[in-house]
Amino acid sequence: MRAVDVSWNGSEIRLRFVLARETNYDMNELTNEVEAEIEADFLPEARVTSTVDLLPVGTPIELLNPLNGGCDRVFALREFE
């Protein structure tokens, strides 16, 4: 995993997981678990959705488009060229 971004406002939380390559892990299961954990803290006020992007190492990762509340990168792998 290269990065995890989050964007939010009062009613929605978006997550983006950035991977360097295809994986054997069930990413649907992983993202569903993360969404459920976050929703448990914010329901019924906010809905949580997520996406998984594949970007090879060395490809720049643009920050997730912010919702009206804000956005942040909550995890970034330190990469060496």
Side-chain angles (χ1 to χ4, degrees), residues 18-80:
V18 180
L19 304 178
R21 62 185 188 291
E22 292 285 338
T23 178
N24 290 333
Y25 291 109
D26 183 347
M27 290 306 294
N28 285 329
E29 183 178 340
L30 174 73
T31 58
N32 288 340
E33 288 178 20
V34 172
E35 288 173 13
E37 290 292 328
I38 294 172
E39 282 180 341
D41 290 333
F42 291 98
L43 279 177
E45 291 81 20
R47 180 175 61 96
V48 180
T49 59
S50 61
T51 59
V52 177
D53 292 339
L54 297 175
L55 295 173
V57 172
T59 305
I61 304 171
E62 298 293 327
L63 190 60
L64 185 63
N65 290 334
L67 294 170
N68 293 336
C71 67
D72 202 359
R73 178 150 296 148
V74 295
F75 169 80
L77 180 66
R78 184 171 180 178
E79 297 176 348
F80 298 96

